[in-house]
Amino acid sequence: MLSQVYRSGFQAFRQRLLPGVQSTALSRSRATDRVQPSAIRHVRSWSNIPFITVPLSRTHGKSFAHRSELKHAKRIVVKLGSAVVTRGDECGLALGRLASIVEQVSVLQNQGREMMLVTSGAVAFGKQRLRHEILLSQSVRQALHSGQNQLKEMAIPVLEARACAAAGQSGLMALYEAMFTQYSICAAQILVTNLDFHDEQKRRNLNGTLHELLRMNIVPIVNTNDAVVPPAEPNSDLQGVNVISVKDNDSLAARLAVEMKTDLLIVLSDVEGLFDSPPGSDDAKLIDIFYPGDQQSVTFGTKSRVGMGGMEAKVKAALWALQGGTSVVIANGTHPKVSGHVITDIVEGKKVGTFFSEVKPAGPTVEQQGEMARAGGRMLATLEPEQRAEIIHHLADLLTDQRDEILLANKKDLEEAEGRLAAPLLKRLSLSTSKLNSLAIGLRQIAASSQDSVGRVLRRTRIAKNLELEQVTVPIGVLLVIFESRPDCLPQVAALAIASGNGLLLKGGKEATHSNRILHLLAQEALSIHGVKEAIQLVNTREEVEDLCRLDKMIDLIIPRGSSQLVRDIQKAAKGIPVMGHSEGICHMYVDSEASVDKATRLVRDSKCEYPAACNALETLLIHRDLLRTPLFDQIIDMLRVEQVKIHAGPKFASYLTFSPSEVKSLRTEYGDLELCIEVVDSVQEAIDHIHKYGSSHTDVIVTENEKTAEFFLQHVDSACVFWNASTRFSDGYRFGLGAEVGISTSRIHARGPVGLEGLLTTKWLLRGQDHVVSDFSEHGSLKYLHENLPVPQRNTN
């Protein structure tokens, strides 16, 4: 009864403090202490920090098996290590870092989660205060005894940790209180010792206090009572779920997490996570997921610059918490580029730090797949051209021989996608006998063109006598191709990777799971004839695209195949990895005053209506002003009406009409459907200016019978593909005779337009000499540079 009165009073106090803000008390079952599914959440904003409270419900018992499940975590403990909380000089707190952490905790708390902090910092804060007091008192005494203005150098005595903790605890809590108040959140301090967990009555009291605070939407801030804690002892426990001593804040956080049945424990330290060898060593690799039993294969380094526990203590505490049903992530809370969002990133399931899991995946991790693709690609590049061509021919044969199995798998995907995908995406997802036959033809074209792709000599130079330089083509390395709803993309890209000797990671959409699986198996079957099966890997784990884009040490080029939004997201997420592609396909067609009526109508129909969802479909039709109210214009409009194309009028076009179609909202729109923008221009130059201003440098077309006007357009439009009297739909690797394409690039460097085999190659320099040294070419040396161009071996075009 008393607690109910107190809670009512507290909520009334919150309402007076924050008028107009609804209570954040959640509908809970007192038996389970969980949010009921019917709980309603609202979007709100306190102190200009927007957040969304979300219904969170989970029965505690088992830890989460995958990172993607962490977003369902309801009760979370965040442990802040000494290295995170303190400054580099160990005297005082890292205030900016702490403010960022408090903000993230507040955002998660205001989403309806139950947040608890286990924090270090009292000793460092107290050390700063005590040093200041000692310096002040020493300076006064010296001034009184010496009578001199200049003070002698003063030695500061070694400060005892318990005294520092006693002096710093109140200041540390006052700082947290001030920071959380900015987000309208109340915090409460709890100091504990080992006895509070091992004495049954004290343990029940502690448990009850914490639950009461959480029910009142208060963030408990827990710390060991370092003013009275005994000296640290060697690790002699951590052997089972029921035995763990509170020696440091790592063991405290683990004990608290299990005691309170929390869903997630986040341990922030000054390293990125757990490495397979001491961080900083040459071969050290960050472990993404750590499983119980793996600690035997890990070499632990020294502990952090401050704090009582090293990484070994953190791992032992994490495994103890994991065994108790709490998921654990160890991550870096000090890195300036990530500390501002490290906690929220972890809860969102992003690949940050080391995730502890009891469930081992059935297959290799994506990091292992990247290594296999790298090794397999290097072996692939060493094969003879005829051997790579043989692999591609075999894959082409398998596409037709295994047609029934492929179409059966595709049928499963279509049935599962029915009602979930829009019609254009379902069309992309669908495979047919004719599609498979076309794929096989395209693959055989790739095989024919791959005969001298890798190792082709582009340039030869005689630097000096017996010193010759060659520039030759080589694979880029490992490609990551991410594609949506297009299983036919997989064999195309696989064939191009094989022909160019590149390793390949494939990440397809889940809507094409069955189709992608069988097509990948066929690709690996073809690769097996020359022992390079591992060169092409299909990523089947729950890896998010954003996480894949961070594997800059394993991936050399990312190629997105999908919607413009997918491409934009990947370009934004990719850190240190080049992205080849285009974010939009805003293709234009300019119909000149000297255009043929029949040609113009046919070209507009094919460009817009043949496949409106394609990136090379027409989106904006530019009409010369002189063609308005002519038979040519009327015929185009009638054709579009018959094809049920919705017309959007550009500003100038609308001004010529009494009753115009809906005016376009933006002249820079990719519709991807049976919709078309029509605008009027006065000249070919105005058409070019419009394309440069509103286009995406993809594909642009002129329709005219005037060759001079056409050549002017071809030379002046700065796009990847520029056509004269041809449909925009010709912008395609297969139609260009490249066999297939990995995508269409609007980039200014490396590859532009439909990217086929040539776009997946780079070069390296080979220098062959005989004991040549640079000093021989100095002013008084015996040799002179010749720099003679040498003939290049003729390319095989058969």
Side-chain angles (χ1 to χ4, degrees):
M1 182 66 184
L2 182 62
S3 63
Q4 290 177 346
V5 172
Y6 178 76
R7 285 201 301 277
S8 300
F10 177 77
Q11 295 296 342
F13 168 74
R14 288 290 298 271
Q15 289 295 334
R16 290 196 302 273
L17 183 66
L18 301 166
V21 178
Q22 295 185 357
S23 168
T24 59
L26 306 178
S27 173
R28 287 186 174 87
S29 164
R30 296 180 65 89
T32 62
D33 209 25
R34 296 291 172 196
V35 180
Q36 297 301 310
S38 60
I40 299 174
R41 295 285 166 259
H42 306 279
V43 178
R44 294 171 293 173
S45 179
W46 290 351
S47 305
N48 297 320
I49 302 293
F51 61 88
I52 303 174
T53 51
V54 293
L56 298 160
S57 182
R58 173 175 167 320
T59 302
H60 190 274
K62 273 195 171 185
S63 59
F64 294 117
H66 306 282
R67 282 184 185 269
S68 59
E69 299 172 352
L70 295 180
K71 59 179 174 284
H72 301 301
K74 171 71 173 69
R75 185 171 288 172
I76 302 171
V77 171
V78 178
K79 183 265 177 179
L80 308 180
S82 301
V84 176
V85 175
T86 61
R87 297 199 313 244
D89 60 6
E90 303 174 25
C91 287
L93 304 178
L95 296 179
R97 200 181 298 146
L98 272 181
S100 175
I101 289 169
V102 167
E103 181 179 19
Q104 294 174 77
V105 170
S106 300
V107 168
L108 295 173
Q109 178 82 3
N110 287 329
Q111 287 177 352
R113 306 180 199 269
E114 297 173 342
M115 305 299 296
M116 291 180 277
L117 276 183
V118 174
T119 180
S120 303
V123 173
F125 197 65
K127 186 184 292 186
Q128 183 186 34
R129 294 180 64 182
L130 292 180
R131 281 188 175 184
H132 178 76
E133 292 297 326
I134 291 170
L135 284 171
L136 185 61
S137 62
Q138 282 185 348
S139 62
V140 171
R141 285 199 303 272
Q142 274 196 338
L144 290 174
H145 286 91
S146 65
Q148 298 174 358
N149 293 327
Q150 293 183 342
L151 301 177
K152 297 179 182 178
E153 185 178 343
M154 295 176 292
I156 300 175
V158 176
L159 300 174
E160 208 275 331
R162 293 189 189 89
C164 292
Q169 198 65 250
S170 60
L172 178 65
M173 191 59 205
L175 182 63
Y176 275 120
E177 282 277 6
M179 288 182 173
F180 275 112
T181 300
Q182 300 303 309
Y183 304 98
S184 305
I185 289 177
C186 183
Q189 182 184 36
I190 297 180
L191 298 176
V192 298
T193 64
N194 226 346
L195 191 61
D196 294 308
F197 289 100
H198 289 287
D199 182 282
E200 185 60 27
Q201 184 60 48
K202 289 179 180 292
R203 190 181 65 80
R204 282 201 299 267
N205 292 343
L206 174 63
N207 191 295
T209 300
L210 288 168
H211 277 90
E212 189 72 10
L213 292 172
L214 293 176
R215 273 196 287 269
M216 291 188 292
N217 202 37
I218 295 173
V219 175
I221 299 178
V222 187
N223 195 0
T224 52
N225 192 352
D226 293 327
V228 297
V229 74
E233 300 173 0
N235 280 337
S236 58
D237 51 12
L238 294 163
Q239 301 301 318
V241 173
N242 298 316
V243 185
I244 184 172
S245 298
V246 177
K247 295 186 180 68
D248 51 41
N249 278 343
D250 295 318
S251 54
L252 169 60
R255 182 67 194 250
L256 181 69
V258 173
E259 180 72 26
M260 293 299 294
K261 296 182 171 61
T262 58
D263 302 316
L264 174 62
L265 168 61
I266 299 174
V267 179
L268 297 183
S269 183
D270 57 352
V271 292
E272 280 70 18
L274 184 60
F275 288 79
D276 57 2
S277 56
S281 60
D282 291 339
D283 298 324
K285 292 181 181 177
L286 179 66
I287 299 173
D288 173 40
I289 305 177
F290 190 79
Y291 306 100
D294 285 356
Q295 61 266 39
Q296 284 78 17
S297 61
V298 175
T299 303
F300 293 101
T302 57
K303 72 183 190 70
S304 64
R305 58 177 173 82
V306 288
M308 296 178 64
M311 184 55 71
E312 187 171 10
K314 289 175 175 56
V315 170
K316 287 182 178 179
L319 290 172
W320 191 90
L322 185 69
Q323 192 178 355
T326 296
S327 296
V328 183
V329 175
I330 296 178
N332 192 336
T334 63
H335 197 292
K337 290 186 178 181
V338 298
S339 59
H341 45 82
V342 60
I343 299 173
T344 50
D345 280 354
I346 289 170
V347 175
E348 288 171 11
K350 295 181 181 178
K351 186 176 284 190
V352 179
T354 298
F355 173 61
F356 286 70
S357 175
E358 294 183 297
V359 181
K360 280 201 172 188
T365 66
V366 69
E367 289 83 3
Q368 291 169 333
Q369 286 186 297
E371 291 173 355
M372 288 189 287
R374 173 81 67 190
R378 285 172 176 162
M379 291 177 62
L380 186 62
T382 63
L383 296 179
E384 294 296 325
E386 294 78 12
Q387 292 175 306
R388 288 193 293 270
E390 187 182 356
I391 294 172
I392 299 170
H393 276 296
H394 188 47
L395 178 56
D397 293 339
L398 287 171
L399 290 178
T400 53
D401 294 345
Q402 304 293 325
R403 179 181 59 245
D404 293 342
E405 289 82 354
I406 296 170
L407 294 180
L408 182 62
N410 185 244
K411 183 182 178 183
K412 289 182 183 178
D413 287 327
L414 289 169
E415 289 172 351
E416 293 174 6
E418 192 68 42
R420 294 191 298 110
L421 291 183
L425 292 179
L426 279 174
K427 187 176 180 181
R428 288 186 180 186
L429 178 60
S430 175
L431 292 175
S432 62
T433 300
S434 61
K435 265 191 180 182
L436 293 176
N437 289 336
S438 296
L439 276 173
I441 294 170
L443 263 57
R444 292 187 178 99
Q445 286 182 354
I446 294 172
S449 63
S450 69
Q451 292 296 323
D452 63 345
S453 56
V454 180
R456 178 162 51 90
V457 179
L458 302 178
R459 180 185 304 176
R460 292 180 66 219
T461 305
R462 180 176 287 118
I463 304 296
K465 184 180 179 181
N466 296 325
L467 184 63
E468 293 187 1
L469 178 69
E470 284 184 351
Q471 184 185 21
V472 300
T473 57
V474 292
I476 288 175
V478 175
L479 314 176
L480 168 62
V481 179
I482 302 169
F483 54 100
E484 295 176 321
S485 306
R486 289 198 48 185
D488 57 324
C489 172
L490 193 153
Q492 289 179 339
V493 174
L496 287 169
I498 295 166
S500 57
N502 284 291
L504 180 62
L505 285 176
L506 293 160
K507 175 68 173 175
K510 60 183 178 182
E511 66 280 353
T513 298
H514 302 293
S515 305
N516 289 339
R517 185 180 296 121
I518 188 170
L519 290 170
H520 175 246
L521 288 174
L522 295 179
Q524 289 203 317
E525 183 179 336
L527 287 162
S528 297
I529 65 175
H530 287 296
V532 286
K533 176 183 175 181
E534 309 298 341
I536 296 179
Q537 299 287 324
L538 180 65
V539 179
N540 286 317
T541 62
R542 299 190 180 203
E543 228 70 33
E544 296 293 334
V545 168
E546 187 173 341
D547 293 328
L548 290 172
C549 292
R550 293 174 179 167
L551 301 176
D552 58 316
K553 290 181 175 60
M554 298 181 180
I555 296 167
D556 300 297
L557 179 66
I558 301 175
I559 304 172
R561 297 287 305 271
S563 65
S564 57
Q565 186 60 50
L566 171 73
V567 179
R568 282 194 295 269
D569 289 344
I570 290 173
Q571 288 173 335
K572 182 179 179 181
K575 305 296 183 185
I577 309 175
V579 178
M580 180 187 289
H582 63 281
S583 58
E584 293 175 307
I586 305 173
C587 302
H588 292 74
M589 180 176 287
Y590 166 57
V591 181
D592 186 54
S593 59
E594 299 181 65
S596 160
V597 175
D598 293 335
K599 286 181 183 178
T601 305
R602 271 173 52 84
L603 292 172
V604 172
R605 177 190 284 112
D606 188 78
S607 297
K608 178 73 257 186
C609 307
E610 198 265 342
Y611 189 11
C615 67
N616 57 10
L618 178 64
E619 303 293 4
T620 299
L621 179 64
L622 301 176
I623 301 284
H624 193 284
R625 183 184 58 183
D626 294 347
L627 295 178
L628 293 177
R629 300 184 180 88
T630 65
L632 185 153
F633 177 77
D634 294 339
Q635 189 168 320
I636 291 175
I637 296 298
D638 290 342
M639 179 274 296
L640 293 173
R641 190 175 293 117
V642 170
E643 297 289 345
Q644 298 183 330
V645 177
K646 182 179 180 180
I647 296 174
H648 302 276
K652 288 185 68 175
F653 181 44
S655 68
Y656 284 99
L657 303 173
T658 306
F659 300 101
S660 70
S662 62
E663 189 167 340
V664 68
K665 294 180 180 178
S666 171
L667 290 168
R668 196 179 283 112
T669 302
E670 181 181 12
Y671 298 103
D673 206 346
L674 286 173
E675 297 183 54
L676 181 68
C677 171
I678 298 181
E679 183 58 308
V680 174
V681 293
D682 293 340
S683 65
V684 64
Q685 183 60 58
E686 188 175 336
I688 293 170
D689 293 341
H690 179 102
I691 290 168
H692 288 165
K693 185 174 183 179
Y694 299 109
S696 61
S697 302
H698 192 294
T699 301
D700 299 294
V701 176
I702 183 171
V703 183
T704 184
E705 296 303 301
N706 188 312
E707 183 177 354
K708 184 177 179 181
T709 303
E711 288 300 326
F712 182 85
F713 184 90
L714 293 174
Q715 298 303 319
H716 286 80
V717 171
D718 186 16
S719 295
C721 301
V722 189
F723 302 160
W724 172 25
N725 287 348
S727 168
T728 60
R729 296 279 290 120
F730 277 104
S731 181
D732 175 84
Y734 175 74
R735 297 180 181 113
F736 276 16
L738 305 178
E741 65 182 31
V742 292
I744 296 178
S745 173
T746 55
S747 172
R748 302 283 169 175
I749 57 173
H750 184 64
R752 202 171 183 207
V755 180
L757 180 57
E758 298 288 334
L760 299 181
L761 296 170
T762 184
T763 64
K764 71 176 180 182
W765 298 89
L766 305 177
L767 184 63
R768 297 179 176 91
Q770 294 181 2
D771 192 31
H772 288 82
V773 294
V774 171
S775 58
D776 287 342
F777 295 85
S778 63
E779 185 177 352
H780 303 292
S782 58
L783 295 177
K784 300 294 182 184
Y785 288 111
L786 299 177
H787 292 150
E788 296 175 358
N789 291 327
L790 298 175
V792 174
Q794 290 299 308
R795 184 176 182 181
N796 178 16
T797 58
N798 295 326

